[in-house]
Amino acid sequence: MTKSRLFRLWLVLGSAFMVLLIIVYWDNMGPAHFNLHTALSRPHALKPFPSPNSASGDVFTSSLEILESFVREKQGPLLSKRVEQPSLPASSKPVLGNLEESVRGYDWSSHAAQQSADPDARQAERRSVLRGFCANDSFVFPTKERSFDDIPNYELNHLIVDDRHGVIYCYVPKVACTNWKRVMIVLSQSLSDQGTPYRDPLDIPREYVHNSSTHLTFNKFWRRYGKFSRHLMKIKLKKYTKFLFVRDPFVRLISAFRSKFELENEEFYQKFAVPMLKRYSNHTSLPASVSEAFSTGLRLSFATFIQYLLDPHTEQLAPFNEHWRQVHRLCHPCQIDYDFVGKLETLDQDAAQLLRLLKVDKLLQFPPSYRNRTASSWEEGWFAKIPLAWRQQLYKLYEADFVLFGYPKPENLLRD
């Protein structure tokens, strides 16, 4: 009996010592020797992440827990405590006015998934296109050549982590991100209703979905793990299943404009609309609130919004807001080898396929009722009054998103 206890004790101490040696090795040798999947590494085959009940999943989870507990001990007892989320009231589908329902694009009827002969082949093609252009030296854009370690922590705040199922989601505003965030909350059990974790994504109130304290993101790793944060990020990037959803870049811009400037949004009125109207529309005296502006018929035009995006002065002051920032700047697809690239245009089918690959399709379903009515067929109407030179400059601004994610160049908008 005593020998058995001594053996277990030595086994535990030996494992801890090996973890310590590995960490010291990483600190001394640096990230160059760590096998992170980047544009230069061989893409790995798309595969579902092991379920939490499988033996391999248990071993992997245990290894991460040992490393993370060691890091917490190094950081002190305060950082080792989990942050408990307050109990929140139950919610139901939002009640929207006709205008808000039209602009936000909610549609609570059910929809049949779009059909495809081979969704796996389609997914492989998307990843192949992405990997190919990331590795293509003739296709260049800002930030393409930097490594993962060159990305500042604050640029990693869109990467949401679910340690329970080994999933990393990079959310892109205006690409069904509200409902994908809801899915991540259900999977990670990071939010509860009267002590019980949410099970239905649509039960989670919208105001809590976008609360940054609800999600564990890469940007929070530095505060939690200190100098070990990048090591843990790389472990999870290598082992976890990583996904994002994208959409036609110009359609996403239209959707962002409609959502933030066609509705009475006080925050976006004060922070963006007022400066745009003053700078580009020669308004000197503007209403104090968005409701006053709307009541007098004063609205920001789509042309003024485009002028703001094209003005070099804009990003000299601050990076683009996340709702119109390019996807490659939000999710870093040439530095992170995504396992799944979904598109809003095939949302139903892609969502179902992804949940099956993650082996969580028995736990939840992606809300089938989401629809954003900003259609690609609207582009010509929205851009009709935008000067050709502006349209061409705007394409160059978002060209990387068009190319990396396989969206055709909108030739009809870029020529006379």
Side-chain angles (χ1 to χ4, degrees), residues 220-281:
K220 295 179 181 178
F221 273 44
W222 180 254
R223 295 193 296 273
R224 179 176 293 191
Y225 302 118
K227 67 177 183 178
F228 300 104
S229 60
R230 288 283 166 159
H231 296 320
L232 288 170
M233 289 180 197
K234 290 176 181 178
I235 289 174
K236 296 183 182 191
L237 283 173
K238 182 180 180 182
K239 298 293 185 180
Y240 285 11
T241 300
K242 306 163 291 295
F243 77 94
L244 79 165
F245 272 72
V246 298
R247 74 187 299 183
D248 180 290
F250 278 3
V251 181
R252 178 170 170 251
L253 276 184
I254 297 170
S255 179
F257 175 81
R258 298 183 73 214
S259 174
K260 300 306 175 185
F261 301 113
E262 286 193 343
L263 299 175
E264 292 190 10
N265 187 311
E266 190 66 36
E267 177 188 358
F268 277 75
Y269 173 75
Q270 299 293 347
K271 190 173 182 178
F272 297 105
V274 168
M276 288 186 215
L277 289 167
K278 287 181 177 180
R279 183 174 180 85
Y280 306 112
S281 301

Side-chain angles (χ1 to χ4, degrees), residues 4-40:
S4 176
R5 289 180 179 175
L6 285 174
F7 176 78
R8 288 198 295 267
L9 177 61
W10 279 110
L11 184 62
V12 171
L13 291 175
S15 300
F17 182 71
M18 287 301 296
V19 170
L20 177 61
L21 282 180
I22 292 170
I23 292 174
V24 171
Y25 173 80
W26 281 334
D27 279 339
N28 290 335
M29 299 303 292
H33 299 272
F34 195 91
N35 182 26
L36 171 65
H37 290 290
T38 65
L40 300 179

Side-chain angles (χ1 to χ4, degrees), residues 84-130:
E84 296 294 334
Q85 293 289 342
S87 295
L88 300 173
S91 177
S92 58
K93 300 168 186 176
V95 178
L96 304 172
N98 290 336
L99 175 61
E100 185 173 5
E101 202 278 338
S102 173
V103 171
R104 289 201 184 278
Y106 287 107
D107 180 358
W108 297 109
S109 60
S110 59
H111 299 264
Q114 298 184 40
Q115 299 300 312
S116 172
D118 192 348
D120 291 334
R122 183 180 62 193
Q123 186 57 222
E125 181 182 0
R126 289 176 185 173
R127 295 181 67 246
S128 176
V129 169
L130 177 58

